[in-house]
Amino acid sequence: MVEDVVIPAGERSGATGSGGRRGPEGTGQFGALGLHLADPRVEASVLGLLEDVEGELRASVASADPLVTEAARHLMEAGGKRFRPLLVALGAQFGDPTEPQVVPAAVVMELTHLATLYHDDVMDEAAVRRGAPSANSRWANSVAILVGDYLFARAADLAADLGPEAVRLQARTFARLVHGQIAETVGPRDGEDPVAHYLNVIAGKTGSLIATSARFGGLFGGASPEHTEALAGYGEIIGVAFQLSDDLLDIASESTQSGKTPGTDLREGVPTLPVLYALAADDSDAASVRLREILATGPLVDDALHAEALGLLRESPALKRARETVRSYAEDARAQLAPLPGGPARRALESLCDYIADRTS
């Protein structure tokens, strides 16, 4: 998922965990996301909202049971970009960001996201999350599952205070998340295109919640229905684009830019977009044939095979095709913004499209 990318501790500032002002690019407080907020008033508004969200998050996960409180705060305090609350805050700029329901709406989205991470770690048998021991490795699978359930319950409780529409949207988003996870777990059905299946999984697991986050910003900020729909469409596509760009970084980066050691997905046998393109290709050159042979063996735990596959993928037509797909999604996301009025908030959302298109080129 998008937010799993860890921001190094030295770059964190305040509750948002975002870096300070860096370099001539003007990425400001949100450099880790490639977000450009050129207007000081919008930047102050967004930062203020995120600070309030952080405080409300801590309060909302508190429990009479100290163990539940500690476990529920475990991933929240480990960092992350708060991407979903950020989109709530940006969406609210198209209405009135001072509306009192904007902050709790953002908290609902982040709690829902955090809950999925606890469940994901159990399913993936993960030992680390955001550079810290995962909840399931620190306590136990049963505790991690139940804490995830607790966070879902807290999100639903807060959504109820926002009204029936918020409850309905949160529930439908949760259903899409579950469907996406089931599809990923089961894998492509007979006759189903693996690439189409993978894109549908990402739309369910990642795009759905980011879409609802942007929608919540417009809805509870009082934006018009047309603008709220545009924000939701943008959120869905930008969420998929971010996840796909992380797939590429896992292959193409020479550092931990993606938040994990390059080639981790290859080593674990995770079929990301470049791998799926490579497996589906019919290129007859020796490098492509050899790459398909290696990838068909599954998880690449052998260091020599892993290094060979990583090198071949970096030079493959499959990686080039995956880059083109990411750029296409970024441009599609930008097109969703057409109904929105021009100004610093729209330019900020457009800057995310530029960042995604550039980060994997």
Side-chain angles (χ1 to χ4, degrees), residues 61 68-77 111-124 129 134-136 139-141 143-149 151-152:
V61 302
V68 174
T69 300
E70 180 186 9
R73 287 180 175 173
H74 178 65
L75 287 184
M76 184 185 73
E77 294 176 345
L111 285 176
T112 303
H113 171 61
L114 287 170
T116 68
L117 299 187
Y118 282 84
H119 289 177
D120 280 352
D121 284 347
V122 173
M123 297 188 68
D124 297 341
R129 167 73 69 175
S134 61
N136 50 298
W139 289 281
N141 280 346
V143 171
I145 291 170
L146 291 169
V147 170
D149 292 344
L151 293 176
F152 277 127

Side-chain angles (χ1 to χ4, degrees), residues 271-295:
T272 57
L273 189 65
V275 170
L276 292 172
Y277 277 157
L279 287 169
D282 55 5
D283 304 275
S284 58
D285 59 285
S288 297
V289 171
R290 175 58 178 162
L291 178 57
R292 288 197 296 272
E293 289 176 353
I294 300 174
L295 294 177

Side-chain angles (χ1 to χ4, degrees), residues 215-279:
R215 182 186 296 278
F216 267 26
L219 180 64
F220 293 107
S224 71
E226 180 188 14
H227 293 165
T228 299
E229 286 299 320
L231 287 165
Y234 169 85
E236 174 97 13
I237 299 174
I238 205 71
V240 174
F242 250 117
Q243 183 60 60
L244 292 178
S245 67
D246 278 353
D247 287 357
L248 269 65
L249 286 178
D250 184 63
I251 300 298
S253 67
E254 297 287 350
S255 65
T256 55
Q257 185 181 358
S258 63
K260 55 189 176 183
T261 304
T264 296
D265 291 333
L266 272 180
R267 192 174 295 279
E268 296 177 353
V270 177
T272 57
L273 189 65
V275 170
L276 292 172
Y277 277 157
L279 287 169

